[in-house]
Amino acid sequence: MTATALTPPATAAQAHRDPHVRRWLAAYTSSMLGDNIFYLALSWAAVQEGTPAQAGLVMSAGALPRAVLMLGGGVVADRIGPRRVVIGSDAVRCAAVLAVAALLFLTRPGLWPLALLAMVFGTVDAVFMPAVGALPARLTEGGQLARVQGMRGLAIRFASVAGAPLGGLGVAVGGAAAAFALAGVLIAASVPLLLRVRVRDLPQDGTPGPAGTAWSDLRAGLRHIRRHRVLAPLMLAIALGDLGFVGPLNVGLTLLADHRGWGASGMGGVLAGFGTGAAAASLVLTVRGRLPRAGLATGCACAAGSVAVGALAFVPTLAAAVTTALLVGLLTGLSGALCGALLQTHSDPACLGRVTAVAGLISLGLTPLSMPLAAAAIGAWGLGPVYAVSAAVCGLGGVVALAVPALRRAELPG
């Protein structure tokens, strides 16, 4: 990749003061806000134009291209450079959203433009997400990646909290068209900010860069992960942790709230507890900047978080469930951010987009399969056994991190 600048921060204390990191953070926050508003507007428009089943198909239209093309997106990010890919992706997404907003202002086109827009978003996400994951390593020194991951986590939490009311306000003022327009403007705002972000080249550690075909580059990236003493077990730990976590927090939580009579407000309170805990973990990393013995901390946080996940099905009151969910958010948020930082610091820079793509495919492609399985299992055996098994699977991720010496001893640069 061709860098716009090559000067990293001078000291560990400067990452959160670096103007380029702040511009990236503002751009990322604006883009994530636009994403949240976009999905709300898409669901609202789809429900207005068709049946609930048709709306569901529209909402899921982007999932297939995102999953199928994700690994190829990692190759693109490594070949072109993550900054360029993110800028191009945001420009395409902005143009697509604003085009549909204009179409909705002028006429009622039906479901097909909405489904096409969802597919465009899914296709662009396949290159956008690996590039977003690979970009922080080019913004700051390795010792500051945990802090940058914390900043990114705070941006995600802020966007998820603020996106829904902003999208709802847009729908209330001007319908889905206004909400789409607002999403497009927020995504567009990220582009000039990113154009002013300077990134640096990273030294190569011996793995050949992208010089062959795209297929050979992909195979080289997968081979890099498979043979790496830290990355291979870390990917396994991520997969196990996500598989055991996604089902209970999504489908399982809805069924738990209904079974206990907590209602939608109670479920919202539990989710708020989880979000608060995850935000607290991001804030801790943002303030501290680095945790020593990162591999050990990752394994311990994942193992302890799995116990909290299993406890959710057995707590007697709503207040206890909210407290437990806060603990789940804190521990899983901490382990997730540390996993991201370890992936970035232990990957060969030439393969970073592909490594990020594999991690993204695990989270977005594999683990959602646990949701229908969790729902079916709860219907057959009840909440308690399923939460216990899910917690055991999640805990295995922590066991892997603690049992593999290279991962357990992995450190973030000082």
Side-chain angles (χ1 to χ4, degrees):
M1 128 177 199
T2 301
T4 308
L6 307 176
T7 305
T11 66
Q14 289 183 347
H16 59 292
R17 300 189 183 101
D18 187 333
H20 300 294
V21 173
R22 291 202 297 264
R23 289 187 194 112
W24 161 80
L25 184 64
Y28 184 71
T29 303
S30 183
S31 182
M32 289 300 98
L33 270 174
D35 268 11
N36 280 271
I37 295 171
F38 162 76
Y39 284 109
L40 186 146
L42 183 66
S43 63
W44 179 267
V47 168
Q48 297 300 307
E49 295 291 337
T51 66
Q54 290 172 328
L57 289 174
V58 169
M59 292 300 296
S60 61
L64 182 60
R66 184 186 300 115
V68 170
L69 301 174
M70 181 78 75
L71 294 180
V75 174
V76 173
D78 285 333
R79 279 176 168 255
I80 300 177
R83 176 177 169 272
R84 292 178 179 176
V85 172
V86 171
I87 291 172
S89 299
D90 274 345
V92 171
R93 295 194 305 161
C94 166
V97 173
L98 291 179
V100 171
L103 191 62
L104 290 176
F105 270 123
L106 297 173
T107 183
R108 293 193 62 175
L111 289 170
W112 286 109
L114 300 177
L116 180 61
L117 177 62
M119 293 182 67
V120 169
F121 246 69
T123 302
V124 175
D125 274 351
V127 294
F128 174 78
M129 298 180 73
V132 164
L135 189 54
R138 289 169 168 82
L139 293 172
T140 188
E141 291 178 324
Q144 287 294 286
L145 278 174
R147 171 169 282 146
V148 172
Q149 289 293 103
M151 293 176 178
R152 183 182 175 190
L154 287 174
I156 291 172
R157 296 301 158 194
F158 172 77
S160 64
V161 170
L166 282 175
L169 179 62
V171 170
V173 171
F180 276 128
L182 177 59
V185 168
L186 285 168
I187 294 172
S190 69
V191 175
L193 288 167
L194 288 169
L195 287 171
R196 297 184 62 202
V197 170
R198 295 184 178 180
V199 295
R200 59 187 186 127
D201 281 331
L202 297 178
Q204 306 300 304
D205 68 1
T207 302
T213 65
W215 176 246
S216 66
D217 290 346
L218 176 58
R219 290 169 55 195
L222 296 176
R223 187 165 56 247
H224 173 59
I225 295 171
R226 187 176 68 251
R227 295 177 176 176
H228 201 285
R229 294 191 306 159
V230 172
L231 295 181
L234 184 57
M235 289 294 185
L236 178 58
I238 291 171
L240 290 169
D242 283 352
L243 279 170
F245 167 76
V246 171
L249 191 70
N250 289 277
V251 176
L253 185 56
T254 303
L255 297 174
L256 178 64
D258 180 68
H259 178 72
R260 295 292 177 84
W262 296 337
S265 61
M267 184 180 71
V270 177
L271 287 173
F274 169 79
T276 301
S282 297
L283 183 61
V284 167
L285 288 175
T286 300
V287 172
R288 286 185 58 86
R290 179 181 179 271
L291 291 181
R293 308 188 71 179
L296 178 63
T298 299
C300 291
C302 186
S306 70
V307 176
V309 168
L312 269 176
F314 303 98
V315 292
T317 65
L318 177 58
V322 171
T323 303
T324 304
L326 189 149
L327 189 60
V328 171
L330 179 64
L331 293 168
T332 58
L334 182 63
S335 64
L338 288 175
C339 281
L342 287 169
L343 283 175
Q344 293 184 8
T345 53
H346 286 270
S347 299
D348 176 3
C351 296
L352 192 51
R354 283 161 283 178
V355 171
T356 306
V358 172
L361 184 61
I362 290 172
S363 297
L364 296 175
L366 175 63
T367 54
L369 297 176
S370 66
M371 290 191 282
L373 292 177
I378 290 171
W381 296 297
L383 287 161
V386 174
Y387 264 79
V389 171
S390 296
V393 173
C394 185
L396 283 176
V399 170
V400 168
L402 295 173
V404 178
L407 178 53
R408 185 180 66 249
R409 297 168 185 160
E411 291 278 7
L412 296 175

